[in-house]
């Protein structure tokens, strides 16, 4: 195992541990701070994967702006710590089951290579050109030299995957509206 793999696993364990602490904290402020820790660990993983632009956006937008907004809202609403209710054991059973299924899926994905994934995507009907998403090393270097890091990310996002991008933005808007409605009930 080389140094990059060791560093990757350190940040991977850090991110999973922080994410677990984020969802298990009963204090909203503590959970938000663990989420910030998770985002920093994910940004480090992006740097290891040579995606420095995504790492910078992860830190600036999510760990910076969005989380500061979350912390401001949490402090403004003065949320109290929620007492733990261990009577909700069916929820825990479902959570453990979903986690087991997702873990098994991740284990099966261990055998995937970028070439195998590109081959499977190219055989799916109605998908975009897999060369846009998985360019080889020379094509990626040429694309980054011609368009820069931002352009090489934005070009497939706004050409081949515009509809999923817009659906994601609608989903985020629905989440924001839902959060506002839930917050208004408590005011």
């Amino acid at each position: 195992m080389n140094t990059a793999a060791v560093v990757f696993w350190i940040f991977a364990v850090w991110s999973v541990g922080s994410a677990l602490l984020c969802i298990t904290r009963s204090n909203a402020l503590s959970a938000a701070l663990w989420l910030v820790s998770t985002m920093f660990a994910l940004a480090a993983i992006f740097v290891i994967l040579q995606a420095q632009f995504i790492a910078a956006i992860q830190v600036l937008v999510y760990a910076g702006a969005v989380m500061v907004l979350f912390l401001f809202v949490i402090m403004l609403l003065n949320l109290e710590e929620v007492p733990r209710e261990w009577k909700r054991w069916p929820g825990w059973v479902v959570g453990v089951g979903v986690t087991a299924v997702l873990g098994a899926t991740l284990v099966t994905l261990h055998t995937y290579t970028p070439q195998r994934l590109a081959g499977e995507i190219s055989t799916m009907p109605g998908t975009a050109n897999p060369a846009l998403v998985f360019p080889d090393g020379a094509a990626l270097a040429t694309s980054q030299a011609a368009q820069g890091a931002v352009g090489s990310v934005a070009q497939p996002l706004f050409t081949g995957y515009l509809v999923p991008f817009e659906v994601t933005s609608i989903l985020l808007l629905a989440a924001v509206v839902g959060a506002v409605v839930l917050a208004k009930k408590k005011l």
Side-chain angles (χ1 to χ4, degrees):
M1 189 179 293
N2 60 12
T3 306
V6 171
V7 173
F8 171 81
W9 281 108
I10 288 171
F11 283 112
V13 170
W14 175 7
S15 66
V16 170
S18 296
L20 287 174
L21 288 170
C22 174
I23 63 172
T24 57
R25 301 297 94 187
S26 58
N27 186 333
L29 185 62
S30 176
L33 291 175
W34 281 113
L35 185 58
V36 170
S37 173
T38 303
M39 289 181 182
F40 276 113
L42 290 176
I45 290 173
F46 285 135
V47 169
I48 294 169
L49 296 174
Q50 304 294 322
Q52 289 84 4
F53 174 72
I54 302 295
I57 294 299
Q58 176 84 16
V59 170
L60 291 175
V61 174
Y62 293 107
V66 171
M67 287 312 298
V68 166
L69 180 66
F70 281 9
L71 290 174
F72 181 72
V73 169
I74 289 169
M75 290 179 180
L76 184 68
L77 293 176
N78 196 16
L79 297 176
E80 299 172 2
E81 188 167 335
V82 178
R84 294 191 179 275
E85 295 181 21
W86 294 103
K87 296 176 183 176
R88 294 190 223 164
W89 65 270
W92 281 96
V93 171
V94 170
V96 168
V98 169
T99 303
V101 169
L102 290 176
T105 304
L106 284 177
V107 168
T108 58
L109 288 177
H110 184 337
T111 60
Y112 269 74
T113 62
Q115 293 80 19
R116 180 178 172 191
L117 189 58
E120 288 186 6
I121 287 177
S122 66
T123 59
M124 295 172 67
T127 57
N129 184 4
L132 288 173
V133 182
F134 303 105
D136 62 354
L140 181 63
T142 305
S143 171
Q144 284 188 352
Q147 301 173 334
V150 177
S152 61
V153 171
Q155 197 268 337
L157 182 65
F158 291 117
T159 57
Y161 294 94
L162 182 61
V163 173
F165 178 75
E166 292 299 328
V167 169
T168 304
S169 65
I170 291 171
L171 177 67
L172 291 174
L173 178 65
V176 169
V177 170
V180 169
V181 169
L182 290 175
K184 289 292 268 182
K185 286 182 180 177
K186 294 181 179 179
L187 292 178

